[in-house]
Amino acid sequence: MLGLDNPWALPLVGVLTGIVVGFVARRQHFCTMAALELYWFAANSIGLRAWVLAAITALFCTQTFIALGVIDLSNSFYITPTLPIAGSILGGLMFGFGMAFVGTCGFGAIIRLGGGNLRALVVLTGIGLAAIAALRGVTGHFRVWFLDPLSIEFTSAGSQSIGAIASNASGFDLQYPIALLLSAIGLWWVFRSSDFRAERAKALGAITIGACISLGWVWTTSFAKYRFVETQIEAGSFVSPVGDTIMQIITVTGALPDYGVGLVIGVFLGAALAAWKSNDMRWEACDDARELGRHLLGAFLMGTGGVFALGCTIGQGVSAFSTLAISSPIVMISIAIGARVGLGVLLEGSPFGFLRAISLRKHG
């Protein structure tokens, strides 16, 4: 039986957690881009409410674990005192624009690949290679020279957590009360919709995904105490770990897979299992060179932007949000703007096309 000190135990836990996440996400069509499109163009907020519910669940669970002393996230890169504001905004815009061109994010691409979508394989390969380049390659030089210096320091608070900043300003420990307040507001907004309340399976699926993401903090902090090698404290992201997964497949360096790699593999396996059980597996590929080019461009923007912003729709929108990192709302707003502009280019032929569409709807 694998113990906590076994080097293969942590990636295995990631695989098992990912299987649950991938299975539920595939069955419940959990997709950030699809949720935004339905909300913007069909006035259907069910998908968006499910996504918010997952984020709120992760927030509540994570902050409760912290309050009970189960986990310590002081070493998480999401809440370091340095906020890379330029990277958060530019990276978020790039990621959102690329997400619109692809039609989904990195997490969604893994879910699609589980059903046999070869376009998703192209996208994930592009995301992974772009992420590697942004971390320690050509585009990484731009990040280090230009974006990283444009940061805001929260040294006095000791963290860029909203709770830490508020606590430092007030003199009271407001971390958990703020988490409870945000959770209550989020739950009120999510369940005030009678249409969403009728979607019990979607609600349960969103809660499951959020809880599983928050468990990543428990697994990685627990294993960090017993492993003899440095362990990344993480919960779930699908940009840099995709690049790490590619490196694990094509190279033998002696470095064992970490939790993030295990989670990526597990999500794929879970999505494949869900597609098989639903008889929903079919091969899909790009229709022509133009579509292939659009997917490659979108993948590059998501892989590069995801590293600049330190996360994706799951990494910043759920994992970072669960830590109350101030970067989370900044990145997510930037991603949403980038996605709207990207859809304008894709559907209307102009970055401002969506504005004309809104005007026509108002005056139509």
Side-chain angles (χ1 to χ4, degrees), residues 1 7 17 48 53 62 80 113 133 150-151 171 184 186 217 261 272 287 312:
M1 183 175 179
T17 305
L48 185 59
L53 179 57
T62 299
T80 59
L113 181 60
L150 299 176
S151 301
W217 298 122
V261 172
D287 295 329
C312 56

Side-chain angles (χ1 to χ4, degrees), residues 17 21 54 58 61-62 107 207-219 234-238 259 263 267 314-315 318-320 322:
T17 305
V21 173
C61 291
T62 299
F107 176 74
I207 291 172
T208 301
I209 291 172
C212 285
I213 293 297
S214 69
L215 282 176
W217 298 122
V218 177
W219 306 144
E234 57 185 320
S237 184
F238 297 91
Y259 178 80
L263 190 68
V267 169
I314 299 295
V318 180
S319 296
S322 74

